[in-house]
């Protein structure tokens, strides 16, 4: 059961439903009764709180539903126009190295965005993927302003990984105003469309499949759900 399933959901998936599906799949992977899975989807507008979330970073608690995610990280936003990729991999059969796994998720994201001519980068002490914005005023200390274009949050249970990444394609960026995204107030958020790139979710999905194979290995053909 070690073949990986690649699933794409066309309709927005409620967060609780997605979490239940991931939990069940992780248990099945651990038991050897199901293979690994990458699940591409969108959520209705909502905020999620990771294990390091601080109450003061939830600025507008009544704006959207707030879910406790169980993943690492702080507050983030999910909603239409954002591609969420939930990655359920058996690290027992790969490499039991959490830092390497997070680095691989970053590399997957960076390679994907690079195919759209976006120079996305890691930042020490800031989980996620960032782009420099020379078109925006610099910070008070003179350093360039940067925007987050992709978030990463993972959970690992008995060396089976779940949760994953989210990449902003064309979400309503004003929805981020209800939180301090990932606890970082000095920088903003952006999307592919905000950067002037008319990319669709389908465009992104095709590239995600290519670059996933480069970083992690074999996948199956896409299956809509």
């Amino acid at each position: 059961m070690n073949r990986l399933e690649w699933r794409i959901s066309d309709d927005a998936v409620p967060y609780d439903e997605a979490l239940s599906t991931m939990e069940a799949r992780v248990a099945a992977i651990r038991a050897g009764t199901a293979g690994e899975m990458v699940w591409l989807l969108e959520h209705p507008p909502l905020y999620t709180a990771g294990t390091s979330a601080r109450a003061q970073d939830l600025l507008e608690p009544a704006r959207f539903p707030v879910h406790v995610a169980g993943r690492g990280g702080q507050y983030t936003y999910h909603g239409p126009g954002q591609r969420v990729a939930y990655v359920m991999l058996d690290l027992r059969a790969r490499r039991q190295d959490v830092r390497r796994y997070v680095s691989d998720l970053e590399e997957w994201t960076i390679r994907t965005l690079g195919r759209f001519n976006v120079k996305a980068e890691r930042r020490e002490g800031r989980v996620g993927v960032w782009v420099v914005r020379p078109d925006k005023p610099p910070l008070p200390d003179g350093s360039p302003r940067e925007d987050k274009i992709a978030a990463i949050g993972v959970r690992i249970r008995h060396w089976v990984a779940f949760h994953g990444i989210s990449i902003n394609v064309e979400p309503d960026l004003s929805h981020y105003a209800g939180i301090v995204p990932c606890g970082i107030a000095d920088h903003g958020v952006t999307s592919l469309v905000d950067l002037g790139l008319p990319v669709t979710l389908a465009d992104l999905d095709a590239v995600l499949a290519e670059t996933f194979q480069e970083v992690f290995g074999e996948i199956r053909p896409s299956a809509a759900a």
Side-chain angles (χ1 to χ4, degrees):
M1 301 299 295
N2 59 352
R3 289 289 300 277
L4 185 144
E5 176 188 355
W6 190 264
R7 180 185 299 181
I8 302 174
S9 290
D10 294 328
D11 298 325
V13 179
Y15 188 79
D16 288 342
E17 179 182 325
L19 198 59
S20 296
T21 299
M22 280 196 290
E23 293 275 359
R25 188 64 171 236
V26 167
I29 292 170
R30 287 180 56 202
T33 57
E36 299 174 315
M37 181 169 74
V38 176
W39 186 13
L40 306 183
L41 53 82
E42 294 173 279
H43 286 305
L46 58 94
Y47 298 129
T48 64
T51 54
S52 301
R54 300 174 298 188
Q56 64 267 31
D57 289 341
L58 181 59
L59 305 178
E60 299 179 27
R63 186 167 188 173
F64 297 123
V66 180
H67 297 265
V68 176
R71 54 157 177 80
Q74 301 187 39
Y75 280 105
T76 193
Y77 166 77
H78 293 311
Q82 181 191 77
R83 179 52 90 208
V84 176
Y86 287 134
V87 185
M88 289 148 270
L89 297 185
D90 188 351
L91 301 186
R92 298 170 300 180
R94 294 174 177 269
R95 183 177 299 186
Q96 295 184 28
D97 184 332
V98 176
R99 288 188 179 184
R100 173 60 184 270
Y101 176 62
V102 172
S103 177
D104 284 346
L105 290 175
E106 291 173 337
E107 180 65 20
W108 179 32
T109 307
I110 288 167
R111 290 193 190 196
T112 297
L113 294 169
R115 300 289 177 90
F116 299 102
N117 296 315
V118 174
K119 185 180 180 183
E121 301 173 311
R122 300 174 175 88
R123 285 293 178 264
E124 186 69 30
R126 285 192 258 142
V127 177
V129 175
W130 301 79
V131 294
V132 178
R133 298 300 303 268
D135 55 316
K136 291 186 174 183
L139 294 172
D141 64 2
S143 61
R145 197 167 295 273
E146 298 176 342
D147 285 346
K148 192 170 193 174
I149 193 169
I152 296 174
V154 303
R155 186 171 182 181
I156 296 174
R157 180 178 297 154
H158 300 286
W159 291 109
V160 178
F162 56 122
H163 294 276
I165 69 172
S166 60
I167 298 176
N168 288 342
V169 179
E170 193 179 7
D172 185 338
L173 296 178
S174 71
H175 290 177
Y176 281 90
I179 57 172
V180 178
C182 301
I184 298 168
D186 292 339
H187 299 284
V189 291
T190 190
S191 68
L192 286 164
V193 171
D194 183 54
L195 294 173
L197 300 167
V199 178
T200 68
L201 290 173
D203 294 334
L204 185 71
D205 293 346
V207 175
L208 282 168
E210 294 174 6
T211 53
F212 184 92
Q213 191 159 3
E214 294 172 6
V215 176
F216 293 101
E218 183 182 7
I219 64 170
R220 285 185 173 181
S222 298

